[in-house]
Amino acid sequence: MTAIWTAVAAILIFCIMIFVHELGHFISAKLLGIRVHEFAIGMGPKLIGRRRGETLYSVRLLPLGGFCALEGENESSDDEKALSNKPAWAKLIVMAAGSCMNLLLGLVLLFCLYSSVQTVVVPQVDTVVAGGPADLAGVQVGDEIIKMDGRRIHIAYDMHWVSGKLTGEPFELVVKRPSGLKETLTVTPGADQSAPKLGITMKQEENGFFLTAKTAYYETVFYGRVVLESFIDLLRGRIGISSMSGPVGIVSEIGGAVQQAQEQGLAGLLNLLQMTVLLTVNLGVFNLLPIPALDGGRIFFVLIEMIRRKPIPPEKEGIVHFVGFVLLILLSLFIAYMDVLRLV
């Protein structure tokens, strides 16, 4: 039964993320007067379809992916409503709209998630362990953590992320005293660099609309930043490509969350919701990377067009995106293979 619910949850999550992403392209294209030939959820053979006006709305067999087919997207066109004939700023809006919708979805889901809790952990010191690293550095109860090892701290997740990267060397901690005075302290962490092992615990503040909105916003930013930093670490060789997860690994994680939801009820469902947020933000940010075949790759070509003051021929750009698409498919297959090995 868990396997069935895992499949249902995975298909639902993937479909929602893709639908929201393609909806962003669709709405922006329609508003800017660009012809949309088809708005499809899924890939492969068409299951059902209905044409309204100039656009075919369809659902396809494979519940992974989707597309919004625009006139003049990959080829030259004489149609005045073709994407290729629109100004560069309009192309930028259309290409970025999908990822923006994914980020917006993450923000809305996080707002709903935090609206369901009574208290939220905030980056303000609640207790200080006597003789601990923070106490020796001069951290006091009531201090608000402003910066940690050079990184601006907005929510507790920021602290945990920075703490996980500490090497045991002294780092600077900027705090704001209850009086409003800011001080820069030097902290030498212990062997375990997690925030509690620094000798402090964070305050739990009673939740409200503005705290919910603030936490949801900065957690969305946090997830996006984690995706970018992880990608940079991958390019620098700090993490291996084998550490990446594809659809197989993601479905496995969803299965764990579904089982937790069955055992824990609401708490498990909230964890599944949190995973959905991470996935949709990941999709939004990853699609903005300047990689051929992704929205970010198309945005890169538009920026070149703005610099050159004339567009690159769509056919040549299409070849680059096709090659990028093939390479992404090969990478996805390799990652899926590694996911299967980890499961086995």
Side-chain angles (χ1 to χ4, degrees):
M1 184 61 71
T2 299
I4 295 176
W5 283 115
T6 297
V8 171
I11 291 173
L12 185 61
I13 290 172
F14 283 131
C15 286
I16 289 175
M17 291 193 306
I18 298 301
F19 171 77
V20 167
H21 184 91
E22 298 303 330
L23 185 64
H25 293 312
F26 174 80
I27 292 175
S28 58
K30 286 290 188 179
L31 291 175
L32 292 169
I34 297 169
R35 191 181 304 280
V36 181
H37 291 297
E38 183 175 356
F39 178 76
I41 300 300
M43 303 295 284
K46 182 177 65 176
L47 294 179
I48 57 175
R50 183 176 180 181
R51 181 171 295 278
R52 297 191 64 178
E54 64 186 17
T55 304
L56 172 65
Y57 301 87
S58 66
V59 176
R60 294 177 175 261
L61 179 63
L62 302 177
L64 295 175
F67 60 88
C68 181
L70 307 178
E71 173 69 23
E73 184 176 2
N74 295 312
E75 71 285 325
S76 299
S77 174
D78 295 329
D79 191 339
E80 63 178 7
K81 298 179 71 175
L83 177 67
S84 57
N85 294 328
K86 294 296 180 178
W89 62 265
K91 296 176 185 177
L92 285 177
I93 292 175
V94 173
M95 295 306 165
S99 291
C100 290
M101 286 291 285
N102 281 126
L103 298 176
L104 180 60
L105 174 62
L107 176 62
V108 171
L109 290 178
L110 280 173
F111 184 87
C112 295
L113 190 152
Y114 280 106
S115 295
S116 66
V117 299
Q118 296 182 341
T119 60
V120 175
V121 178
V122 295
Q124 185 174 4
V125 179
D126 188 46
T127 62
V128 179
V129 177
D135 181 44
L136 295 176
V139 177
Q140 302 174 9
V141 172
D143 285 349
E144 179 184 353
I145 308 299
I146 303 297
K147 281 187 177 182
M148 190 173 178
D149 199 26
R151 175 164 177 160
R152 183 71 168 87
I153 303 298
H154 298 285
I155 55 176
Y157 274 109
D158 291 326
M159 289 190 63
H160 293 308
W161 179 253
V162 176
S163 296
K165 290 180 173 288
L166 296 178
T167 60
E169 297 296 322
F171 68 93
E172 287 190 347
L173 185 73
V174 180
V175 299
K176 183 178 180 181
R177 304 293 189 188
S179 63
L181 180 66
K182 290 184 180 181
E183 289 195 27
T184 300
L185 309 173
T186 300
V187 181
T188 303
D192 186 340
Q193 286 88 40
S194 63
K197 293 302 180 180
L198 293 176
I200 56 176
T201 59
M202 295 295 100
K203 178 182 177 182
Q204 293 200 18
E205 189 172 314
E206 185 175 352
N207 201 7
F209 175 83
F210 292 106
L211 181 57
T212 295
K214 175 185 175 181
T215 306
Y217 171 76
Y218 281 116
E219 191 164 328
T220 304
V221 173
F222 168 79
Y223 284 139
R225 190 168 180 176
V226 167
V227 174
L228 284 176
E229 291 183 8
S230 298
F231 180 73
I232 293 173
D233 287 343
L234 180 66
L235 293 179
R236 291 180 175 178
R238 294 176 179 174
I239 59 176
I241 193 172
S242 60
S243 63
M244 299 178 66
S245 287
V248 175
I250 292 172
V251 170
S252 176
E253 293 296 326
I254 291 175
V258 168
Q259 184 174 356
Q260 189 177 26
Q262 291 175 333
E263 296 172 352
Q264 301 181 8
L266 180 60
L269 287 175
L270 292 178
N271 287 335
L272 186 60
L273 182 62
Q274 191 94 23
M275 180 178 295
T276 304
V277 171
L278 179 58
L279 290 174
T280 188
V281 173
N282 194 314
L283 175 63
V285 174
F286 186 76
N287 257 286
L288 288 176
L289 296 177
I291 299 174
L294 299 181
D295 293 335
R298 296 182 182 276
I299 289 174
F300 179 75
F301 274 94
V302 175
L303 294 176
I304 293 178
E305 174 186 338
M306 296 174 72
I307 295 173
R308 296 175 70 239
R309 297 186 179 276
K310 66 177 182 178
I312 294 174
E315 291 79 6
K316 293 183 179 179
E317 180 181 342
I319 293 174
V320 174
H321 292 312
F322 176 77
V323 173
F325 176 76
V326 172
L327 293 176
L328 285 175
I329 292 297
L330 294 175
L331 177 62
S332 298
L333 291 174
F334 174 76
I335 293 174
Y337 171 74
M338 298 301 296
D339 284 339
V340 171
L341 288 183
R342 280 192 289 266
L343 290 176
V344 173

